[in-house]
Amino acid sequence: GDIDKVRVIRSFGNWTMGCMDSLACNFNPEANMSDGSCEYAQEGYDCNGNINVQIGDEAFGGIVFYVDESGTRGLVAASENLSSDESHLIEHYGEGFEFGCYEINLINSNYTGVGYGYQNTINIYNHNCTLSDDGISAQQAALDFQSSNYNDWFLPSLDELYLMRNSIFDSGSFISDWYWSSSNYDDLNGYYVSFFNYSNSIGYTNKYDTNPIRPVRAFGNWTMGCMDSLACNYNPDANMADGSCEYPELGYDCEGNITEYIVGMEAEGGIVFYVDETGQRGLVAASEDIGNYEWGCDNVMVNGADEQAIGNGFQNTVDIINQGCTSEEGGIIAAKSALDYEVEGFSDWYLPSLYELESMMIYLACNNSLGNERYWSSSEYIDNDDDAYRYWCNDWGTPINKDARLMKNYVRPIRAFGYTLGCMDSLACNYNPEANMSDG
């Protein structure tokens, strides 16, 4: 409440106004009266905009532990460890976070090099893996960390963490423990760096183990992008991976062209289940069953339809159709339903032979638990005219078996790609020596 008197002054004569602080970028050595105009470099930079830090300096929100050879970018470690109990420091051995994602196949998170810590962290975090307790994972803890007004922290890769240990161990308030990196080792383990055993400093351990973490952040002239030369969006200028890599589908290139046929890929109108030794021809199954049908031709020995090997399903199907058989109920039979099938512009489907069906079922159903239904082949049971071969994924007995032709079983059409259709019988008048699939 007291009021003081003020006596103002002014200068006269030959004063030079300017910045008189020698640490300022616009320091004027001739100035003898400061005018408040001093300008200073941004933290960690010189007055020309170049990074001006050394290993161990406190800048950019943490402790500098890496500056690359260009001198334009680097990494800092947080000034303290993170604790799973949310206190500001880990005070004793063994307190920390689980790696997370136990028994999970982590894709694009196995990188160990400098520049990959951010991508590893983001990829693992996005898996949203459960832990053995109700806590948070090491990756989430690093991403959630905020310090010195920076919120872009992440868990270092193995090499980044190793550099940290070797560069600032004496000045970083570390404890004698294993610190988690963000580099996944396998489904059960993650990589760590020992901050007490220099003779065996890098290793991996169970993802359920709790270890301390030290988040890091990047500063300077990093270029984020995809660093994998095999990816469709590979950026040769990127020097920090950001998890943005995009890859072609299995068996395709980045332009959508088929590079190789692989069992399991979706191509040629269905799901590839067989590729021969050339790699250029094979068989695809329709993406779905088309119903239950009788085999037909009960009490009729079909003229043909007795082949069982791969490559003979189409001829068997044609032989059955040419026999003119019908079902007991007067509807269409299995072979006709397959031959009439059309999808994605493909109309050359047929009923698989016995061993074409076996190959399809082993991949599509038996190994993938897609059901335990009985499926018709186009191969008739040659010992009598009452049965035909079918296949099912049972847990007992023989999956290849015969069934009465009046029974209704599932139909899954197939089609061939890369084959040359024609007559393969050398005794026939129209024998085609180049044919590798018989067409009846």
Side-chain angles (χ1 to χ4, degrees):
D2 295 337
I3 299 175
D4 295 326
K5 292 182 172 61
V6 175
R7 178 66 63 89
V8 297
I9 66 173
R10 62 177 298 275
S11 61
F12 64 91
N14 190 27
W15 293 93
T16 300
M17 308 290 283
C19 175
M20 297 175 62
D21 187 348
S22 61
L23 299 179
C25 295
N26 61 332
F27 167 61
N28 183 357
E30 298 180 357
N32 46 33
M33 180 169 284
S34 180
D35 61 357
S37 64
C38 290
E39 299 174 356
Y40 298 90
Q42 184 180 349
E43 179 192 29
Y45 293 88
D46 63 21
C47 292
N48 296 317
N50 301 312
I51 289 176
N52 186 31
V53 294
Q54 296 179 344
I55 302 300
D57 287 351
E58 293 188 11
F60 302 106
I63 306 170
V64 177
F65 69 90
Y66 170 75
V67 178
D68 84 342
E69 63 279 359
S70 72
T72 62
R73 52 183 170 266
L75 299 169
V76 300
S79 300
E80 59 188 26
N81 302 312
L82 296 193
S83 166
S84 59
D85 66 2
E86 298 183 357
S87 64
H88 71 289
L89 287 176
I90 292 179
E91 300 292 348
H92 62 274
Y93 178 87
E95 193 174 46
F97 300 88
E98 293 181 24
F99 188 93
C101 294
Y102 187 78
E103 293 187 334
I104 300 296
N105 180 24
L106 294 171
I107 300 174
N108 295 330
S109 303
N110 300 318
Y111 298 101
T112 60
V114 173
Y116 283 98
Y118 178 73
Q119 174 171 297
N120 289 343
T121 305
I122 291 295
N123 285 340
I124 298 173
Y125 174 77
N126 287 339
H127 271 77
N128 196 29
C129 300
T130 58
L131 307 174
S132 64
D133 55 27
D134 294 329
I136 62 175
S137 68
Q139 289 75 23
Q140 183 177 343
L143 289 172
D144 290 347
F145 182 64
Q146 297 187 39
S147 178
S148 301
N149 296 320
Y150 293 104
N151 59 4
D152 54 350
W153 301 87
F154 54 90
L155 198 62
S157 70
L158 179 63
D159 289 353
E160 291 167 350
L161 182 59
Y162 187 68
L163 282 170
M164 182 198 304
R165 198 282 304 271
N166 291 343
S167 300
I168 60 170
F169 178 80
D170 294 332
S171 61
S173 301
F174 295 98
I175 61 174
S176 294
D177 206 340
W178 294 280
Y179 281 74
W180 277 128
S181 78
S182 61
S183 300
N184 182 69
Y185 178 76
D186 60 18
D187 292 359
L188 306 179
N189 302 280
Y191 276 111
Y192 69 78
V193 171
S194 168
F195 277 65
F196 63 91
N197 186 346
Y198 275 66
S199 63
N200 187 23
S201 58
I202 293 177
Y204 55 87
T205 189
N206 191 291
K207 294 177 180 179
Y208 281 145
D209 290 347
T210 55
N211 293 319
I213 65 171
R214 181 65 69 98
V216 302
R217 64 176 302 271
F219 65 88
N221 189 28
W222 292 93
T223 300
M224 308 287 283
C226 174
M227 294 171 62
D228 188 345
S229 60
L230 300 179
C232 296
N233 60 330
Y234 167 61
N235 181 358
D237 296 325
N239 44 39
M240 179 166 284
D242 62 356
S244 65
C245 291
E246 299 173 357
Y247 298 90
E249 292 184 31
L250 188 69
Y252 291 85
D253 63 19
C254 294
E255 283 70 46
N257 304 309
I258 294 176
T259 56
E260 61 176 324
Y261 288 99
I262 301 173
V263 171
M265 70 183 293
E266 294 184 8
E268 305 292 345
I271 305 169
V272 177
F273 69 88
Y274 170 78
V275 180
D276 79 352
E277 64 280 358
T278 70
Q280 299 302 310
R281 54 179 178 258
L283 301 171
V284 300
S287 300
E288 58 186 9
D289 301 331
I290 61 172
N292 287 275
Y293 297 91
E294 297 176 25
W295 200 88
C297 298
D298 189 46
N299 293 314
V300 175
M301 187 59 68
V302 177
N303 182 20
D306 52 6
E307 298 292 341
Q308 300 177 7
I310 289 176
N312 289 284
F314 183 73
Q315 177 168 323
N316 287 347
T317 303
V318 171
D319 290 340
I320 297 169
I321 298 302
N322 288 340
Q323 192 73 37
C325 301
T326 60
S327 71
E328 183 181 43
E329 298 177 348
I332 65 172
I333 58 176
K336 177 64 173 172
S337 70
L339 205 63
D340 288 348
Y341 184 64
E342 183 173 351
V343 68
E344 296 185 18
F346 296 102
S347 58
D348 53 351
W349 301 86
Y350 55 90
L351 196 62
S353 69
L354 177 60
Y355 290 107
E356 289 169 344
L357 178 61
E358 179 188 41
S359 179
M360 178 184 72
M361 290 294 291
I362 287 174
Y363 177 75
L364 289 182
C366 305
N367 287 348
N368 293 283
S369 301
L370 295 182
N372 196 26
E373 308 296 343
R374 295 169 172 83
Y375 286 80
W376 277 128
S377 80
S378 59
S379 303
E380 69 174 345
Y381 187 67
I382 58 177
D383 289 345
N384 63 52
D385 52 14
D386 296 326
D387 297 322
Y389 281 108
R390 48 91 171 158
Y391 193 101
W392 70 310
C393 298
N394 60 330
D395 294 328
W396 53 269
T398 304
I400 296 176
N401 212 326
K402 61 184 178 67
D403 210 351
R405 297 182 185 184
L406 297 181
M407 294 293 293
K408 287 187 176 182
N409 290 321
Y410 280 89
V411 171
R412 177 70 70 98
I414 69 170
R415 65 178 300 272
F417 62 87
Y419 286 93
T420 300
L421 294 170
C423 176
M424 297 175 64
D425 187 348
S426 61
L427 300 178
C429 297
N430 61 333
Y431 168 62
N432 181 357
E434 296 180 359
N436 45 36
M437 178 167 284
S438 180
D439 65 352

